[in-house]
Structures are given as C-alpha cells and as structure tokens.
Coordinates of all heavy atoms in Angstrom, one line a residue:
M416 N 61.7 -31.9 186.8 CA 60.3 -31.8 186.3 C 60.4 -32.1 184.8 O 61.2 -31.7 184.0 CB 59.8 -30.4 186.5 CG 58.5 -30.1 185.8 SD 57.9 -28.4 186.0 CE 56.2 -28.6 185.9
K417 N 59.4 -32.9 184.4 CA 59.3 -33.3 183.0 C 58.6 -32.2 182.2 O 57.8 -31.5 182.6 CB 58.5 -34.6 182.8 CG 59.2 -35.9 183.1 CD 58.4 -37.1 182.7 CE 59.1 -38.3 183.0 NZ 58.3 -39.5 182.7
K418 N 59.1 -32.2 180.9 CA 58.4 -31.3 179.9 C 58.1 -32.2 178.8 O 58.9 -33.1 178.4 CB 59.4 -30.2 179.4 CG 59.7 -29.2 180.5 CD 60.6 -28.1 180.0 CE 60.9 -27.1 181.1 NZ 61.8 -26.0 180.6
I419 N 56.9 -32.0 178.2 CA 56.4 -32.7 177.1 C 56.2 -31.7 176.0 O 55.4 -30.8 176.1 CB 55.0 -33.4 177.4 CG1 55.1 -34.2 178.7 CG2 54.6 -34.2 176.2 CD1 56.1 -35.4 178.7
I420 N 56.9 -31.9 174.8 CA 56.7 -31.1 173.7 C 55.9 -31.9 172.7 O 56.3 -32.9 172.2 CB 58.0 -30.6 173.0 CG1 58.9 -29.9 174.1 CG2 57.8 -29.8 171.8 CD1 60.3 -29.5 173.6
K421 N 54.7 -31.4 172.4 CA 53.8 -32.0 171.4 C 54.1 -31.4 170.1 O 54.0 -30.2 169.9 CB 52.4 -31.9 171.8 CG 51.9 -32.6 173.0 CD 50.5 -32.5 173.2 CE 50.0 -33.4 174.4 NZ 48.6 -33.4 174.6
C422 N 54.5 -32.3 169.1 CA 54.9 -31.8 167.8 C 53.9 -32.2 166.7 O 53.5 -33.4 166.7 CB 56.3 -32.5 167.4 SG 57.5 -32.3 168.7
G423 N 53.6 -31.2 165.9 CA 52.7 -31.6 164.8 C 53.5 -32.3 163.7 O 53.0 -33.4 163.2
Q424 N 54.6 -31.8 163.3 CA 55.5 -32.5 162.4 C 56.9 -32.5 163.0 O 57.4 -31.5 163.5 CB 55.5 -31.8 161.1 CG 54.2 -31.8 160.4 CD 54.3 -31.0 159.0 OE1 55.2 -31.2 158.3 NE2 53.3 -30.2 158.8
L425 N 57.6 -33.6 163.0 CA 58.9 -33.8 163.6 C 59.9 -34.4 162.6 O 59.7 -35.5 162.1 CB 58.8 -34.6 164.9 CG 60.1 -35.0 165.6 CD1 60.8 -33.7 166.2 CD2 59.9 -36.0 166.6
F426 N 61.0 -33.7 162.4 CA 62.1 -34.2 161.6 C 63.2 -34.5 162.6 O 63.8 -33.7 163.3 CB 62.6 -33.2 160.6 CG 63.8 -33.6 159.8 CD1 63.6 -34.6 158.8 CD2 65.0 -33.1 160.0 CE1 64.7 -35.0 158.0 CE2 66.1 -33.5 159.2 CZ 65.9 -34.5 158.2
T427 N 63.6 -35.8 162.7 CA 64.6 -36.2 163.6 C 66.0 -36.4 163.0 O 67.0 -36.6 163.7 CB 64.3 -37.6 164.3 OG1 64.2 -38.6 163.3 CG2 62.9 -37.5 165.0
A428 N 66.1 -36.4 161.7 CA 67.4 -36.6 161.0 C 67.9 -38.1 161.0 O 68.9 -38.3 160.5 CB 68.5 -35.6 161.4
E429 N 67.1 -39.0 161.6 CA 67.5 -40.4 161.6 C 67.3 -41.0 160.2 O 68.1 -41.8 159.8 CB 66.7 -41.2 162.7 CG 67.1 -40.8 164.1 CD 66.3 -41.6 165.1 OE1 65.4 -42.3 164.7 OE2 66.7 -41.6 166.3
D430 N 66.3 -40.5 159.6 CA 66.1 -40.9 158.1 C 65.6 -39.6 157.5 O 65.5 -38.5 158.1 CB 65.2 -42.1 158.0 CG 63.8 -41.9 158.7 OD1 63.4 -40.7 158.9 OD2 63.2 -42.8 159.0
E431 N 65.1 -39.7 156.3 CA 64.7 -38.5 155.6 C 63.1 -38.3 155.7 O 62.6 -37.5 154.9 CB 65.1 -38.5 154.1 CG 66.6 -38.5 154.0 CD 67.1 -38.4 152.6 OE1 66.3 -38.2 151.7 OE2 68.3 -38.6 152.4
S432 N 62.5 -38.9 156.7 CA 61.1 -38.7 156.8 C 60.7 -37.7 157.8 O 61.5 -37.3 158.7 CB 60.5 -40.1 157.2 OG 60.8 -40.4 158.5
V433 N 59.4 -37.3 157.7 CA 58.9 -36.4 158.7 C 57.8 -37.2 159.4 O 56.9 -37.8 158.8 CB 58.2 -35.1 158.0 CG1 57.5 -34.3 159.0 CG2 59.3 -34.3 157.3
Q434 N 57.9 -37.2 160.7 CA 56.9 -37.9 161.6 C 55.9 -37.0 162.0 O 56.1 -35.8 162.3 CB 57.7 -38.6 162.7 CG 58.7 -39.5 162.3 CD 59.6 -40.1 163.4 OE1 59.1 -40.2 164.6 NE2 60.8 -40.4 163.2
H435 N 54.7 -37.5 162.2 CA 53.5 -36.7 162.6 C 53.0 -37.1 163.9 O 53.1 -38.2 164.3 CB 52.4 -36.8 161.5 CG 52.8 -36.3 160.2 ND1 52.7 -35.0 159.8 CD2 53.3 -37.0 159.1 CE1 53.1 -34.9 158.5 NE2 53.6 -36.1 158.1
N436 N 52.5 -36.1 164.7 CA 51.9 -36.3 166.0 C 52.8 -37.0 167.0 O 52.5 -38.1 167.4 CB 50.5 -37.0 165.8 CG 49.6 -36.2 165.0 OD1 49.5 -35.0 165.1 ND2 48.9 -36.9 164.1
M437 N 54.0 -36.4 167.2 CA 55.0 -37.0 168.1 C 55.1 -36.2 169.3 O 54.7 -35.0 169.4 CB 56.3 -37.1 167.4 CG 56.3 -37.9 166.1 SD 56.0 -39.7 166.4 CE 57.5 -40.2 167.2
C438 N 55.7 -36.8 170.4 CA 56.0 -36.1 171.6 C 57.5 -36.2 171.9 O 58.0 -37.3 171.8 CB 55.2 -36.6 172.8 SG 53.5 -36.1 172.8
I439 N 58.1 -35.1 172.4 CA 59.5 -35.2 172.9 C 59.4 -35.0 174.4 O 58.8 -34.1 174.9 CB 60.3 -34.0 172.3 CG1 60.3 -34.1 170.7 CG2 61.7 -34.1 172.9 CD1 61.0 -32.9 170.1
V440 N 59.9 -36.0 175.1 CA 59.9 -36.0 176.5 C 61.2 -35.6 177.1 O 62.3 -36.2 176.7 CB 59.5 -37.4 177.1 CG1 59.4 -37.4 178.6 CG2 58.2 -37.9 176.4
I441 N 61.2 -34.5 177.9 CA 62.4 -33.9 178.4 C 62.4 -34.0 179.9 O 61.4 -33.6 180.5 CB 62.6 -32.5 177.9 CG1 62.6 -32.4 176.4 CG2 63.8 -31.8 178.6 CD1 62.5 -31.0 175.8
E442 N 63.5 -34.4 180.5 CA 63.7 -34.4 182.0 C 65.0 -33.9 182.3 O 66.0 -34.4 181.8 CB 63.5 -35.8 182.5 CG 63.3 -35.9 184.0 CD 62.9 -37.3 184.5 OE1 62.6 -38.2 183.7 OE2 62.8 -37.4 185.7
D443 N 65.1 -32.9 183.2 CA 66.3 -32.3 183.6 C 67.1 -31.8 182.4 O 68.3 -32.0 182.3 CB 67.2 -33.2 184.4 CG 66.5 -33.6 185.7 OD1 65.9 -32.8 186.3 OD2 66.7 -34.8 186.1
N444 N 66.4 -31.2 181.4 CA 67.0 -30.6 180.2 C 67.6 -31.6 179.3 O 68.5 -31.3 178.5 CB 67.9 -29.5 180.5 CG 67.3 -28.2 181.1 OD1 66.1 -27.9 180.7 ND2 67.9 -27.6 182.0
I445 N 67.3 -32.9 179.4 CA 67.8 -34.0 178.6 C 66.6 -34.7 177.9 O 65.6 -35.0 178.6 CB 68.6 -35.0 179.4 CG1 69.8 -34.3 180.0 CG2 69.0 -36.2 178.5 CD1 70.6 -35.2 181.0
I446 N 66.7 -34.8 176.6 CA 65.6 -35.6 175.9 C 65.7 -37.0 176.3 O 66.8 -37.7 176.1 CB 65.8 -35.4 174.3 CG1 65.6 -34.0 173.9 CG2 64.8 -36.4 173.6 CD1 65.8 -33.7 172.5
I447 N 64.7 -37.6 176.9 CA 64.7 -39.0 177.3 C 63.9 -39.9 176.4 O 64.1 -41.1 176.5 CB 64.3 -39.1 178.8 CG1 62.9 -38.6 179.0 CG2 65.3 -38.4 179.7 CD1 62.3 -38.9 180.4
D448 N 63.0 -39.3 175.6 CA 62.2 -40.2 174.8 C 61.6 -39.3 173.6 O 61.3 -38.1 173.8 CB 61.1 -40.9 175.6 CG 60.7 -42.2 175.0 OD1 61.2 -42.6 173.9 OD2 60.0 -42.9 175.6
V449 N 61.3 -40.0 172.5 CA 60.5 -39.4 171.4 C 59.5 -40.5 171.1 O 59.9 -41.6 170.6 CB 61.4 -39.0 170.2 CG1 60.6 -38.5 169.1 CG2 62.5 -38.0 170.6
I450 N 58.2 -40.2 171.3 CA 57.2 -41.2 171.1 C 56.0 -40.6 170.4 O 55.8 -39.4 170.3 CB 56.8 -41.8 172.5 CG1 56.3 -40.7 173.4 CG2 57.9 -42.6 173.1 CD1 55.8 -41.2 174.8
K451 N 55.1 -41.6 169.9 CA 53.9 -41.1 169.3 C 53.0 -40.4 170.4 O 53.0 -40.8 171.6 CB 53.1 -42.4 168.8 CG 53.7 -42.9 167.5 CD 53.2 -42.1 166.4 CE 53.6 -42.7 165.1 NZ 53.3 -41.8 164.0
E452 N 52.3 -39.4 169.9 CA 51.5 -38.6 170.8 C 50.4 -39.5 171.6 O 50.2 -39.2 172.7 CB 50.8 -37.5 170.1 CG 50.1 -36.5 171.0 CD 49.5 -35.3 170.3 OE1 49.5 -35.3 169.0 OE2 49.0 -34.4 171.0
N453 N 49.9 -40.5 170.9 CA 48.8 -41.3 171.6 C 49.5 -42.1 172.7 O 48.7 -42.6 173.6 CB 48.1 -42.2 170.6 CG 49.0 -43.1 169.9 OD1 50.2 -43.0 169.9 ND2 48.4 -44.1 169.2
L454 N 50.8 -42.3 172.8 CA 51.4 -43.0 173.9 C 52.0 -42.1 175.0 O 52.5 -42.5 176.0 CB 52.6 -43.8 173.3 CG 52.2 -44.9 172.3 CD1 53.5 -45.5 171.7 CD2 51.3 -45.9 172.8
C455 N 51.8 -40.8 174.7 CA 52.4 -39.8 175.6 C 51.4 -39.5 176.8 O 50.3 -39.2 176.6 CB 52.6 -38.5 174.8 SG 53.5 -37.2 175.7
K456 N 52.0 -39.5 178.0 CA 51.3 -39.1 179.2 C 51.6 -37.7 179.5 O 52.8 -37.3 179.5 CB 51.6 -40.0 180.4 CG 51.2 -41.5 180.1 CD 51.7 -42.3 181.3 CE 51.5 -43.8 180.9 NZ 52.1 -44.7 181.9
D457 N 50.6 -36.9 179.7 CA 50.8 -35.4 180.0 C 51.2 -35.3 181.5 O 50.5 -34.7 182.3 CB 49.6 -34.6 179.7 CG 49.2 -34.6 178.2 OD1 50.1 -34.9 177.4 OD2 48.1 -34.1 177.9
E458 N 52.4 -35.8 181.8 CA 53.0 -35.6 183.2 C 54.0 -34.5 183.1 O 55.1 -34.7 182.6 CB 53.6 -37.0 183.6 CG 52.6 -38.1 183.6 CD 53.4 -39.4 183.9 OE1 54.6 -39.5 183.8 OE2 52.6 -40.4 184.1
G459 N 53.7 -33.4 183.7 CA 54.6 -32.3 183.7 C 54.1 -31.1 182.8 O 53.0 -31.1 182.4
E460 N 55.0 -30.3 182.5 CA 54.7 -29.1 181.7 C 54.5 -29.5 180.2 O 55.4 -30.1 179.7 CB 55.8 -28.0 181.8 CG 55.5 -26.8 180.9 CD 56.7 -25.8 181.0 OE1 57.7 -26.0 181.7 OE2 56.7 -24.9 180.2
V461 N 53.4 -29.2 179.6 CA 53.1 -29.5 178.2 C 53.3 -28.3 177.4 O 52.7 -27.2 177.6 CB 51.7 -30.1 178.0 CG1 51.4 -30.3 176.6 CG2 51.5 -31.3 178.9
I462 N 54.1 -28.4 176.3 CA 54.4 -27.3 175.4 C 53.7 -27.8 174.1 O 54.2 -28.7 173.5 CB 55.9 -27.0 175.2 CG1 56.5 -26.7 176.6 CG2 56.1 -25.9 174.2 CD1 58.0 -26.7 176.6
D463 N 52.7 -27.1 173.7 CA 51.9 -27.5 172.5 C 52.4 -26.8 171.3 O 52.2 -25.6 171.1 CB 50.4 -27.1 172.7 CG 49.6 -27.6 171.6 OD1 50.1 -28.3 170.7 OD2 48.3 -27.4 171.7
L464 N 53.2 -27.6 170.5 CA 53.7 -27.1 169.2 C 53.1 -27.9 168.0 O 53.7 -28.1 167.0 CB 55.2 -27.2 169.2 CG 55.9 -26.4 170.2 CD1 57.4 -26.6 170.2 CD2 55.6 -24.9 170.1
T465 N 51.8 -28.3 168.2 CA 51.2 -29.2 167.2 C 51.0 -28.5 165.9 O 50.7 -29.1 164.9 CB 49.8 -29.7 167.7 OG1 49.0 -28.6 168.2 CG2 50.1 -30.7 168.9
D466 N 51.1 -27.1 165.9 CA 50.9 -26.4 164.6 C 52.3 -26.0 164.0 O 52.4 -25.2 163.2 CB 50.0 -25.2 164.8 CG 50.6 -24.2 165.8 OD1 51.5 -24.6 166.6 OD2 50.2 -23.0 165.8
K467 N 53.4 -26.6 164.6 CA 54.7 -26.2 164.2 C 55.5 -27.4 163.5 O 55.1 -28.6 163.8 CB 55.5 -25.7 165.4 CG 54.9 -24.6 166.1 CD 54.9 -23.3 165.3 CE 54.4 -22.2 166.2 NZ 53.7 -21.2 165.4
F468 N 56.5 -27.1 162.8 CA 57.5 -28.1 162.3 C 58.7 -28.0 163.2 O 59.3 -27.0 163.3 CB 57.8 -27.7 160.8 CG 58.7 -28.8 160.1 CD1 58.1 -29.7 159.4 CD2 60.1 -28.7 160.3 CE1 58.9 -30.7 158.7 CE2 60.9 -29.7 159.7 CZ 60.3 -30.6 158.9
I469 N 59.0 -29.2 163.8 CA 60.1 -29.3 164.8 C 61.2 -30.0 164.2 O 61.1 -31.1 163.6 CB 59.6 -29.9 166.1 CG1 58.3 -29.3 166.6 CG2 60.7 -30.0 167.1 CD1 58.4 -27.9 166.9
M470 N 62.5 -29.5 164.4 CA 63.7 -30.2 164.0 C 64.8 -29.9 164.9 O 64.8 -28.9 165.7 CB 64.0 -29.8 162.6 CG 64.3 -28.3 162.4 SD 64.6 -27.8 160.7 CE 66.3 -28.4 160.5
P471 N 65.8 -30.8 164.9 CA 67.0 -30.5 165.8 C 67.7 -29.2 165.4 O 67.6 -28.7 164.3 CB 68.0 -31.7 165.5 CG 67.2 -32.6 164.7 CD 66.0 -32.0 164.1
G472 N 68.4 -28.6 166.4 CA 69.1 -27.4 166.1 C 70.2 -27.7 165.1 O 70.8 -28.8 165.1
L473 N 70.6 -26.7 164.3 CA 71.7 -27.0 163.3 C 73.0 -26.3 163.9 O 72.9 -25.4 164.6 CB 71.3 -26.3 162.0 CG 70.0 -26.8 161.4 CD1 69.7 -25.9 160.2 CD2 70.1 -28.2 161.0
I474 N 74.1 -26.9 163.5 CA 75.4 -26.4 164.0 C 76.2 -26.1 162.8 O 76.4 -26.9 161.9 CB 76.0 -27.5 164.9 CG1 75.2 -27.8 166.1 CG2 77.4 -27.0 165.3 CD1 75.7 -29.0 167.0
D475 N 76.8 -24.9 162.8 CA 77.7 -24.5 161.8 C 79.1 -24.5 162.5 O 79.4 -23.7 163.3 CB 77.4 -23.2 161.2 CG 78.3 -22.8 160.0 OD1 79.3 -23.5 159.8 OD2 78.0 -21.8 159.4
A476 N 79.9 -25.6 162.2 CA 81.2 -25.8 162.9 C 82.3 -24.8 162.4 O 83.3 -24.8 163.1 CB 81.6 -27.2 162.8
H477 N 82.0 -24.1 161.4 CA 83.1 -23.2 160.9 C 82.3 -22.0 160.3 O 81.7 -22.1 159.2 CB 83.9 -23.9 159.8 CG 85.1 -23.0 159.3 ND1 86.4 -23.4 159.4 CD2 85.1 -21.8 158.8 CE1 87.1 -22.4 158.9 NE2 86.4 -21.4 158.6
V478 N 82.4 -20.9 160.9 CA 81.7 -19.7 160.5 C 82.5 -18.5 160.7 O 83.3 -18.4 161.7 CB 80.3 -19.6 161.1 CG1 80.5 -19.5 162.6 CG2 79.5 -18.5 160.5
H479 N 82.4 -17.5 159.8 CA 83.1 -16.2 160.0 C 81.9 -15.2 160.0 O 81.5 -14.7 159.0 CB 84.0 -15.9 158.8 CG 85.1 -16.8 158.7 ND1 86.3 -16.7 159.4 CD2 85.3 -17.9 158.0 CE1 87.1 -17.6 159.1 NE2 86.5 -18.4 158.3
V480 N 81.4 -14.9 161.2 CA 80.3 -14.0 161.4 C 80.6 -12.6 160.9 O 79.6 -11.8 160.7 CB 79.6 -14.0 162.8 CG1 79.0 -15.4 163.1 CG2 80.6 -13.6 163.8
C481 N 81.8 -12.2 160.8 CA 82.1 -10.9 160.3 C 82.0 -10.7 158.8 O 82.1 -9.6 158.3 CB 83.5 -10.4 160.7 SG 84.8 -11.5 160.1
L482 N 81.7 -11.8 158.1 CA 81.5 -11.8 156.7 C 80.0 -12.0 156.4 O 79.3 -12.6 157.1 CB 82.3 -12.9 156.0 CG 83.8 -12.8 156.3 CD1 84.5 -14.0 155.6 CD2 84.4 -11.5 155.8
D483 N 79.6 -11.4 155.3 CA 78.1 -11.5 154.9 C 77.8 -12.4 153.8 O 76.7 -12.4 153.3 CB 77.6 -10.1 154.7 CG 78.2 -9.4 153.4 OD1 79.1 -10.1 152.8 OD2 77.9 -8.3 153.2
G484 N 78.8 -13.2 153.3 CA 78.5 -14.1 152.2 C 78.8 -13.5 150.8 O 78.6 -14.1 149.8
S485 N 79.3 -12.3 150.8 CA 79.7 -11.6 149.5 C 80.9 -12.4 148.9 O 81.6 -13.0 149.7 CB 80.1 -10.2 149.8 OG 79.0 -9.4 150.3
P486 N 81.0 -12.3 147.6 CA 82.1 -13.1 147.0 C 83.5 -12.5 147.3 O 84.5 -13.2 147.1 CB 81.8 -12.9 145.5 CG 80.8 -11.9 145.4 CD 80.1 -11.7 146.6
T487 N 83.6 -11.3 147.8 CA 84.9 -10.7 148.2 C 84.8 -10.2 149.6 O 83.8 -9.8 150.1 CB 85.2 -9.6 147.2 OG1 86.5 -9.0 147.6 CG2 84.2 -8.5 147.2
V488 N 86.0 -10.3 150.3 CA 86.0 -9.8 151.7 C 86.7 -8.4 151.7 O 86.8 -7.8 152.8 CB 86.8 -10.8 152.6 CG1 86.1 -12.1 152.7 CG2 88.2 -10.9 152.1
D489 N 87.0 -7.9 150.6 CA 87.7 -6.6 150.6 C 87.0 -5.4 151.3 O 87.6 -4.7 152.0 CB 88.0 -6.1 149.1 CG 89.0 -7.0 148.4 OD1 89.8 -7.7 149.1 OD2 89.0 -7.1 147.2
P490 N 85.7 -5.3 151.2 CA 85.0 -4.2 151.9 C 85.2 -4.2 153.4 O 85.2 -3.2 154.1 CB 83.5 -4.4 151.5 CG 83.5 -5.1 150.2 CD 84.7 -6.0 150.3
M491 N 85.3 -5.5 154.0 CA 85.5 -5.6 155.4 C 86.8 -4.9 155.9 O 86.9 -4.3 157.0 CB 85.6 -7.0 155.8 CG 85.7 -7.2 157.3 SD 85.9 -8.9 157.8 CE 87.6 -9.3 157.4
Y492 N 87.8 -4.9 155.0 CA 89.1 -4.2 155.4 C 89.1 -2.7 155.4 O 90.0 -2.1 155.8 CB 90.2 -4.8 154.5 CG 90.4 -6.3 154.7 CD1 90.1 -7.2 153.7 CD2 90.9 -6.7 155.9 CE1 90.3 -8.5 153.9 CE2 91.1 -8.1 156.1 CZ 90.8 -9.0 155.1 OH 91.0 -10.3 155.3
H493 N 88.0 -2.2 154.9 CA 87.8 -0.7 154.8 C 86.8 -0.2 155.9 O 86.4 1.0 155.8 CB 87.4 -0.3 153.4 CG 88.4 -0.7 152.4 ND1 89.6 -0.1 152.2 CD2 88.3 -1.7 151.4 CE1 90.3 -0.7 151.2 NE2 89.5 -1.6 150.7
K494 N 86.5 -1.0 156.8 CA 85.6 -0.7 157.9 C 86.3 -0.5 159.2 O 87.4 -1.1 159.4 CB 84.5 -1.7 158.1 CG 83.6 -1.9 156.9 CD 82.5 -3.0 157.3 CE 81.5 -3.1 156.1 NZ 80.5 -4.2 156.5
L495 N 85.8 0.3 160.1 CA 86.3 0.4 161.4 C 86.0 -0.8 162.2 O 85.0 -1.6 161.9 CB 85.6 1.6 162.1 CG 85.9 3.0 161.6 CD1 85.0 4.0 162.2 CD2 87.3 3.4 161.8
P496 N 86.8 -1.2 163.2 CA 86.6 -2.4 164.0 C 85.2 -2.4 164.6 O 84.5 -3.5 164.7 CB 87.6 -2.3 165.1 CG 88.7 -1.5 164.5 CD 88.1 -0.5 163.6
E497 N 84.7 -1.2 165.0 CA 83.3 -1.2 165.5 C 82.2 -1.5 164.5 O 81.3 -2.2 164.9 CB 83.0 0.3 166.1 CG 83.9 0.7 167.2 CD 85.3 1.3 166.8 OE1 85.6 1.3 165.6 OE2 86.1 1.7 167.7
E498 N 82.5 -1.1 163.3 CA 81.5 -1.5 162.2 C 81.5 -3.0 161.9 O 80.5 -3.6 161.7 CB 81.8 -0.7 160.9 CG 81.6 0.7 161.0 CD 82.1 1.4 159.7 OE1 83.3 1.4 159.4 OE2 81.2 2.0 159.0
V499 N 82.7 -3.6 162.0 CA 82.8 -5.0 161.7 C 82.1 -5.8 162.9 O 81.5 -6.8 162.7 CB 84.3 -5.5 161.6 CG1 84.4 -7.0 161.5 CG2 84.9 -4.8 160.4
T500 N 82.3 -5.3 164.1 CA 81.7 -5.9 165.3 C 80.1 -5.9 165.1 O 79.5 -6.9 165.4 CB 82.1 -5.2 166.6 OG1 83.6 -5.3 166.6 CG2 81.5 -5.9 167.8
I501 N 79.6 -4.7 164.8 CA 78.1 -4.6 164.7 C 77.7 -5.5 163.5 O 76.6 -6.2 163.7 CB 77.7 -3.2 164.5 CG1 78.0 -2.4 165.8 CG2 76.3 -3.1 164.1 CD1 77.8 -0.9 165.6
S502 N 78.4 -5.5 162.4 CA 78.0 -6.3 161.3 C 78.0 -7.8 161.7 O 77.1 -8.6 161.3 CB 79.0 -6.1 160.1 OG 78.7 -7.0 159.1
A503 N 79.1 -8.2 162.4 CA 79.2 -9.6 162.9 C 78.0 -10.0 163.8 O 77.4 -11.1 163.7 CB 80.5 -9.8 163.6
M504 N 77.6 -9.1 164.6 CA 76.5 -9.3 165.5 C 75.2 -9.5 164.7 O 74.4 -10.5 165.0 CB 76.3 -8.2 166.5 CG 75.2 -8.3 167.5 SD 74.8 -6.8 168.4 CE 74.2 -5.7 167.2
L505 N 75.0 -8.7 163.7 CA 73.8 -8.8 162.9 C 73.8 -10.1 162.1 O 72.8 -10.8 161.9 CB 73.6 -7.6 162.0 CG 73.4 -6.3 162.7 CD1 73.5 -5.1 161.7 CD2 72.1 -6.3 163.5
E506 N 75.0 -10.5 161.6 CA 75.1 -11.8 160.8 C 74.8 -13.0 161.7 O 74.2 -14.0 161.4 CB 76.4 -11.9 160.1 CG 76.6 -10.9 159.0 CD 75.6 -10.9 157.9 OE1 75.2 -12.1 157.5 OE2 75.2 -9.9 157.4
A507 N 75.4 -12.9 163.0 CA 75.1 -14.0 163.9 C 73.6 -14.1 164.3 O 73.1 -15.2 164.4 CB 76.0 -13.8 165.2
K508 N 73.0 -13.0 164.4 CA 71.5 -13.0 164.7 C 70.8 -13.6 163.5 O 69.9 -14.4 163.7 CB 71.0 -11.6 164.9 CG 69.5 -11.5 165.2 CD 69.1 -10.1 165.5 CE 67.6 -10.1 165.7 NZ 67.1 -8.8 166.0
K509 N 71.2 -13.4 162.3 CA 70.5 -14.0 161.1 C 70.7 -15.5 161.2 O 69.8 -16.3 160.9 CB 71.1 -13.5 159.8 CG 70.7 -12.1 159.4 CD 71.4 -11.7 158.1 CE 71.3 -10.3 157.7 NZ 72.0 -9.9 156.5
D510 N 71.9 -16.0 161.5 CA 72.2 -17.4 161.7 C 71.3 -18.0 162.8 O 70.7 -19.1 162.6 CB 73.6 -17.7 162.0 CG 74.6 -17.6 160.8 OD1 74.1 -17.5 159.7 OD2 75.8 -17.5 161.0
L511 N 71.2 -17.4 163.9 CA 70.4 -17.9 165.0 C 68.9 -17.9 164.6 O 68.2 -18.9 164.9 CB 70.6 -17.0 166.2 CG 71.9 -17.1 167.0 CD1 72.0 -16.1 168.1 CD2 72.0 -18.5 167.6
M512 N 68.4 -16.9 163.9 CA 67.0 -16.9 163.5 C 66.7 -17.9 162.5 O 65.6 -18.3 162.3 CB 66.6 -15.5 163.1 CG 66.7 -14.4 164.2 SD 65.9 -14.8 165.7 CE 64.2 -14.8 165.2
A513 N 67.8 -18.4 161.7 CA 67.6 -19.4 160.7 C 67.7 -20.8 161.3 O 67.6 -21.8 160.6 CB 68.6 -19.2 159.6
G514 N 68.0 -20.9 162.6 CA 68.0 -22.2 163.3 C 69.4 -22.7 163.6 O 69.6 -23.9 164.0
F515 N 70.5 -21.9 163.3 CA 71.8 -22.4 163.6 C 72.3 -22.0 165.0 O 71.9 -21.0 165.5 CB 72.8 -21.8 162.6 CG 72.7 -22.5 161.2 CD1 71.7 -22.0 160.3 CD2 73.4 -23.6 160.9 CE1 71.6 -22.6 159.1 CE2 73.3 -24.2 159.6 CZ 72.4 -23.6 158.7

C-alpha cells in the first residue's frame, strides 16, 4: 500500500535549500519518489504534514548515552549501575526527541 506524505517544507540534504509543497511517496516502507505536490496523486494513505517542517532522520554514529554532556565524567563513577542505566535511558530519549 502506498503512503503519501504531504510536506509543507522539506529539507532533503541534497543541497542547502528548503523545498515547499512537496510529497514523499512511500511503498512497502521504502521512499520511491519525492515530487512536487501538484504532481502528486492521492493514491493510498495520505499523511498531511503541510504545517510541518520535514527532514531526514539524523544519525549519531558515536554516542555515550550514559553521559549528559558535562565537561567531566567523574560524577558517573559515583553512581549505582541502576542510576547510570536510568540516566542513559533519559539521555537517549532526549536524543530521540531531538530527531536522532
């Protein structure tokens, strides 16, 4: 089944521009096309994100979720493993909510 995502503003990272009124066409969970909205046929499920800014997901290839960005890691060594685990979970959530 096709899905059509209508984008108000789309950043593709191909260049440094933001494209307006675009459609992302998805079939079997694979992006098969990115086209202007006026060329888009509403065949399948339409997801209207025309009031949103759309961009590719970001990937952080090297991350230590048990750290919080502080200049020193010393406080981590004075925590229980359970505290470090909970802290890591919360830091990972922050990354996910920021688009990583």
